[in-house]
Amino acid sequence: MRGGMQTAENTAGLGARRRRRLDAFAAAMLAAGAFGAAPGAFAQSPVSTPGSTEPLVSEQPALITADQLIYNDELGTVTASGNVEIEQEGRILLADTVSYNQSTEIVVASGNVSLLSENGDVYFSEYAELTGDLQEGFIQGIRALLADGVTRVAAARGIRTEDNRTVFERSKYTPCRLCRENPDAPPTWQLSARKVIHDQEAQEVRYRDVTLDVFGLPVFYSPYFEHPDPTVRRKSGFLTPSYQSSEFLGNQVVAPYFWAIDDNVDVTITPTFATKQYPYLNLEYRHLFPNGSLDITGSGTVADREDADGTTHRDVVRGHIDAAGKFTLSRNWRTGFDIFRLTDDTYDQLYGVGVPETRARVASNAYLEGFGGRNYFAANAFAYQSLRSEEDDRLQPFVVPELDFNYMSQPLFADSYLTADANLLYLTREEGRQVARASLVNAWTLPYTSDWGDVWTFRSRLQTDAYWTVGNDPDSPSTFDTTGQDSAFTGRVFPQASLEWRYPWVVQSGGWEQIVQPIAQVVAGPNGEWFNRGDIPNEDSLDFEFDDTTLFQPDRFNGLDRVDPGVRFDYGFQYGVYTGSESYSEVFLGQSWRLQENDVFAENSGIGEAGFSDIVGRFFFQPIQEVSAAYRFRLDQETLDPQVHEVTGAAGIPKLRLSAQYSFVNTQFDEDGTVIFDERESLTLGLSSRILSSVTATASVTRDLTVGLNQTATLAVTYLDDCFFFSVSAERRNFEDRDLEPDDRIFVTIGLAQLGQFGTTFEAGGLNSDEE
């Protein structure tokens, strides 16, 4: 070859004659030429011309490896061939052949060319022209794998400029993985465009004349489109709009805007424009602090509102706020709040706030918690709002404050320990009863395991309560609306002791393990109506449920306002068979016998004034992973008629799986004999099928057997892979309350990786409330 191979002295002489600075790449090529054609790799140091201290190259070293390096003095070119690799400042160029022209400072690479940029993007081609610093260039027939390792770009040619922009012409872009069995098949979705500009400094990808192809078929066209590149976690801009339709609001267009205020602060502004009502606005503010987080969501509009008595208020403000915060104050202390309030009790369903239809009320809470060893302290404030039309919000309680302190001692003699639970509460209402309570429960627990293996637990406790009330009716302590009654002080001291015995037997044979465990307990305390007399208000012990989980609790009430007096015997039997983590069965039966008469428990609660209680139990059966069934029940102790029972079951494999849930609850009363709710009976059936690895279908129906009406019915089909989500579902709801009417809805949701999600909701029309 003309010019031949040069010596190191000749190379330095060339630098002296030209007297100009060479970049790192050229110097590396010259140095490689000085070492001849032997393959190798080395780090390039700065080179100076004779008589000058000015370096000819960048201070950043370059690394070159190749099978052969040749310098042509006459043409001023350096050529590397055979497994060429050039690395500088985080950029790596691989090719079969690379040549460098000193006069134009252009690098030409050919044959299996790949360029790894400093941000992790990799470009592939058969031919490329680049500047000496590898920051600008032209690539023919380019293919690119971006830094996330999945996103791909293919184009007829690509041009990279020094401002970190890469322009692709006649290109395709997809974040979807290619099919392993058929890599030539079209990806799930891709964007085809006349021109794509990837601006790495702005971290944006912009398209001109773009078409969205799904499974190879064009479904959408736009003259211009842009989105953040895969390196962006969050960026200000409009999110994907959506379309919805409902009977109350009409057709709706939702146009959210995301504002990234800082790395740890953002706001989402979501206006919704409706054809039948005024526009409404939803705002979400999120703030992440070094010691906690804050998330506030609120919405508002002006619309008509209908009261429970049928009165319609025109153009009133309606809205909601949902705010949550949690902050760590120190290693042992934290504080926070969770606030949820609505202007009225149908706003959440009309405007899609997200409160379940079966939810009777919502609560707001602010708290302070402290942890130290085995001890715990909490200060809480609560406010409640009813979502039932028949309930008066003026009777809902405000609890400010409720203070709790729980103490547990270190183990004492014979592993016994002491506990102390203190509670201080003040409860008020806009109208109705006010209560202040101070309570202290001291207890001593002594566990013991005999040489025979049976387990004994002795517990003794003393509960001391003091009350101050305003507006309490002694004849109806569960009634809140007692305005006008006098204030009063009252209290009680209630001692109780219990002894529990358990004797577990374990039998192992042939891979089976059986556990048989009889359980018995005696509970003793003073008896009499005095301990639950009417001048002690009942605020926190209204929701009593007698079942297998409360049978062996010494005090079965879930609050402090009511105690479980007298002497009783509890007994039960538990049996389990286990053949591994996926196959097991369990059975439990239990009952209680009360020695003395006491009417503290309400009618139909399962515990009579004296004698035997109802029989409670549970049964769980899972012979294989694909089949399971559970049954929880409470049976009348005389007739064995079910008072409460719940059956759940599921069977099948992912290809086809069936599920069912049946529940029945008899009429429930409070301690005053007032009906809390009538008999309830419902059945829910479900079906799911994973038709393909990416396609699932589900269907469910919930029927109220008491009135013979389907409450809800849903049907959905979903496609999900690594880059595409599509779901279409239909829902029928038979729920009616003033401006809420039964309706049918169709939901369509499309999600594209890196681009966002688009959803629509259509209301197919109202139903008659008596239609099944």
Side-chain angles (χ1 to χ4, degrees):
M1 183 176 185
R2 294 184 61 185
M5 303 269 304
Q6 304 298 309
T7 65
E9 291 77 14
N10 290 338
T11 302
L14 173 65
R17 289 192 300 271
R18 295 180 178 174
R19 309 290 294 175
R20 69 181 181 84
R21 183 172 180 153
L22 302 177
D23 61 23
F25 179 82
M29 297 295 288
L30 291 173
F35 279 85
F42 56 90
Q44 174 64 37
S45 300
V47 177
S48 300
T49 59
S52 172
T53 59
E54 179 184 358
L56 296 178
V57 300
S58 168
E59 292 292 337
Q60 294 293 332
L63 183 67
I64 302 176
T65 62
D67 293 340
Q68 189 177 45
L69 295 168
I70 300 176
Y71 172 68
N72 189 308
D73 188 21
E74 180 177 342
L75 298 178
T77 61
V78 180
T79 302
S81 60
N83 300 312
V84 181
E85 179 177 340
I86 304 172
E87 180 180 357
Q88 183 184 37
E89 298 181 353
R91 297 179 295 275
I92 301 175
L93 175 66
L94 304 176
D96 292 341
T97 302
V98 177
S99 63
Y100 175 69
N101 189 306
Q102 288 181 308
S103 59
T104 61
E105 297 187 351
I106 295 297
V107 178
V108 177
S110 61
N112 298 312
V113 180
S114 62
L115 172 63
L116 173 63
S117 64
E118 59 271 27
N119 74 330
D121 294 347
V122 184
Y123 303 92
F124 303 93
S125 178
E126 287 299 317
Y127 178 83
E129 292 184 8
L130 305 169
T131 57
D133 58 4
L134 307 182
Q135 294 195 31
E136 299 180 63
F138 164 83
I139 303 178
Q140 186 72 30
I142 185 174
R143 292 169 292 120
L145 180 64
L146 301 190
D148 63 351
V150 177
T151 304
R152 289 172 169 80
V153 179
R157 65 174 182 172
I159 301 173
R160 181 176 173 85
T161 61
E162 63 179 355
D163 58 355
N164 280 329
R165 292 203 314 169
T166 304
V167 180
F168 303 98
E169 296 183 357
R170 300 197 305 277
S171 67
K172 296 182 182 297
Y173 174 95
T174 180
C176 303
R177 299 181 186 275
L178 300 180
C179 178
R180 293 182 179 180
E181 291 76 13
N182 185 13
D184 296 329
T188 305
W189 70 267
Q190 64 182 5
L191 295 175
S192 302
R194 176 177 57 84
K195 180 182 290 188
V196 177
I197 302 171
H198 182 198
D199 190 332
Q200 293 178 336
E201 288 190 2
Q203 296 178 295
E204 292 180 343
V205 181
R206 308 184 188 99
Y207 301 82
R208 310 287 186 184
D209 294 326
V210 60
T211 301
L212 172 64
D213 301 329
V214 179
F215 297 107
L217 300 176
V219 297
F220 178 79
Y221 167 81
S222 176
Y224 178 82
F225 179 71
E226 72 174 46
H227 65 83
D229 73 11
T231 64
V232 175
R233 295 183 59 188
R234 37 193 252 131
K235 186 179 180 66
S236 298
F238 284 99
L239 304 179
T240 307
S242 62
Y243 169 79
Q244 300 177 359
S245 176
S246 68
E247 181 66 25
F248 178 77
L249 296 171
N251 299 320
Q252 308 152 60
V253 175
V254 184
Y257 180 84
F258 178 77
W259 180 17
I261 301 174
D262 205 340
D263 290 341
N264 62 325
V265 185
D266 60 55
V267 175
T268 303
I269 306 169
T270 308
T272 300
F273 305 92
T275 58
K276 290 186 177 182
Q277 300 291 338
Y278 290 118
Y280 64 97
L281 183 66
N282 186 287
L283 297 175
E284 181 180 12
Y285 174 83
R286 301 187 304 174
H287 196 151
L288 184 64
F289 298 91
N291 67 328
S293 62
L294 180 64
D295 192 337
I296 302 176
T297 301
S299 65
T301 187
V302 174
D304 296 343
R305 188 188 74 226
E306 184 178 346
D307 289 342
D309 59 5
T311 303
T312 300
H313 302 273
R314 301 294 182 185
D315 295 340
V316 296
V317 176
R318 307 183 71 176
H320 92 290
I321 184 171
D322 184 0
K326 180 182 290 187
F327 302 92
T328 300
L329 304 179
S330 67
R331 182 178 179 180
N332 297 326
W333 290 90
R334 69 183 181 186
T335 185
F337 59 87
D338 192 348
I339 299 172
F340 194 99
R341 300 293 290 181
L342 298 158
T343 56
D344 56 90
D345 52 8
T346 60
Y347 177 84
D348 57 310
Q349 298 297 325
L350 290 171
Y351 288 88
V353 171
V355 180
E357 296 171 355
T358 56
R359 194 169 176 179
R361 56 188 55 86
V362 292
S364 298
N365 168 233
Y367 64 88
L368 172 68
E369 289 181 310
F371 307 85
R374 298 185 172 195
N375 307 324
Y376 171 76
F377 170 82
N380 283 276
F382 296 94
Y384 298 89
Q385 182 180 12
S386 175
L387 301 182
R388 291 178 173 175
S389 60
E390 65 273 14
E391 291 185 351
D392 190 346
D393 256 343
R394 294 173 299 178
L395 301 180
Q396 295 302 312
F398 294 91
V399 180
V400 183
E402 182 178 22
L403 306 179
D404 286 286
F405 178 72
N406 307 119
Y407 165 81
M408 176 180 289
S409 72
Q410 295 293 330
L412 305 175
F413 64 93
D415 292 328
S416 67
Y417 59 90
L418 296 172
T419 60
D421 300 317
N423 175 270
L424 182 65
L425 172 143
Y426 178 74
L427 181 151
T428 186
R429 294 176 170 85
E430 185 178 345
E431 292 184 7
R433 183 171 62 204
Q434 302 176 44
V435 177
R437 182 187 68 199
S439 178
L440 177 63
V441 180
N442 296 300
W444 177 59
T445 302
L446 174 64
Y448 173 73
T449 302
S450 75
D451 295 337
W452 293 87
D454 51 338
V455 180
W456 299 77
T457 304
F458 174 77
R459 302 179 182 92
S460 62
R461 62 193 299 269
L462 179 67
Q463 179 173 335
T464 305
D465 304 304
Y467 288 86
W468 174 78
T469 62
V470 175
N472 181 55
D473 184 357
D475 296 327
S476 185
S478 297
T479 302
F480 306 134
D481 188 8
T482 54
T483 305
Q485 301 291 328
D486 295 332
S487 63
F489 287 93
T490 189
R492 70 176 165 218
V493 177
F494 177 70
Q496 190 181 58
S498 65
L499 180 63
E500 181 188 272
W501 172 81
R502 296 172 180 261
Y503 200 1
W505 291 72
V506 180
V507 180
Q508 294 179 332
S509 122
W512 289 55
E513 181 178 87
Q514 302 179 66
I515 299 179
V516 179
Q517 180 175 230
I519 309 171
Q521 176 179 253
V522 57
V523 181
N527 192 44
E529 297 181 359
W530 184 87
F531 295 101
N532 294 293
R533 60 190 184 275
D535 62 346
I536 297 178
N538 186 5
E539 295 282 355
D540 65 2
S541 302
L542 297 169
D543 188 16
F544 171 76
E545 183 176 0
F546 178 59
D547 58 22
D548 57 291
T549 63
T550 60
L551 173 63
F552 290 102
Q553 292 183 4
D555 191 340
R556 293 163 172 165
F557 289 101
N558 55 0
L560 295 171
D561 290 336
R562 289 293 174 264
V563 295
D564 192 352
V567 178
R568 73 173 196 263
F569 295 94
D570 308 321
Y571 46 90
F573 176 81
Q574 183 170 316
Y575 174 75
V577 179
Y578 308 89
T579 59
S581 59
E582 298 179 356
S583 176
Y584 58 98
S585 299
E586 292 179 346
V587 177
F588 173 81
L589 288 173
Q591 194 178 31
S592 180
W593 180 71
R594 183 173 292 276
L595 180 63
Q596 300 160 310
E597 290 190 3
N598 196 302
D599 61 354
V600 63
F601 295 100
E603 182 182 354
N604 274 1
S605 66
I607 303 176
E609 294 185 3
F612 292 100
S613 72
D614 287 349
I615 300 171
V616 296
R618 65 178 179 268
F619 169 75
F620 187 84
F621 177 65
Q622 181 173 303
I624 57 177
Q625 186 179 12
E626 292 76 17
V627 177
S628 64
Y631 178 43
R632 297 183 67 229
F633 56 88
R634 176 163 64 86
L635 307 178
D636 184 271
Q637 56 93 11
E638 293 182 352
T639 65
L640 298 183
D641 291 336
Q643 302 301 303
V644 176
H645 55 172
E646 179 179 323
V647 182
T648 60
I653 59 177
K655 287 287 186 183
L656 182 63
R657 188 166 181 84
L658 303 174
S659 63
Q661 178 176 342
Y662 169 80
S663 63
F664 170 82
V665 180
N666 209 342
T667 304
Q668 298 296 300
F669 303 86
D670 63 17
E671 62 180 307
D672 299 327
T674 304
V675 175
I676 301 176
F677 58 81
D678 293 320
E679 177 183 300
R680 296 178 178 178
E681 187 177 18
S682 65
L683 174 65
T684 299
L685 300 176
L687 170 68
S688 66
S689 175
R690 178 169 291 179
I691 303 171
L692 300 172
S693 60
S694 302
V695 180
T696 58
T698 60
S700 67
V701 59
T702 298
R703 185 172 181 83
D704 187 338
L705 300 179
T706 306
V707 297
L709 177 70
N710 288 342
Q711 293 178 318
T712 61
T714 62
L715 176 65
V717 178
T718 301
Y719 175 91
L720 175 65
D721 62 20
D722 61 297
C723 67
F724 181 68
F725 171 78
F726 175 79
S727 174
V728 57
S729 61
E731 180 184 60
R732 168 175 289 190
R733 302 190 306 172
N734 274 332
F735 184 77
E736 190 171 10
D737 183 7
R738 287 161 288 172
D739 40 12
L740 288 174
E741 297 180 356
D743 59 13
D744 293 340
R745 296 185 180 185
I746 299 175
F747 304 88
V748 179
T749 305
I750 300 174
L752 303 176
Q754 302 179 7
L755 300 186
Q757 182 171 292
F758 174 81
T760 63
T761 303
F762 303 93
E763 187 169 283
L767 300 172
N768 296 324
S769 59
D770 57 350
E771 184 176 348
E772 297 184 8

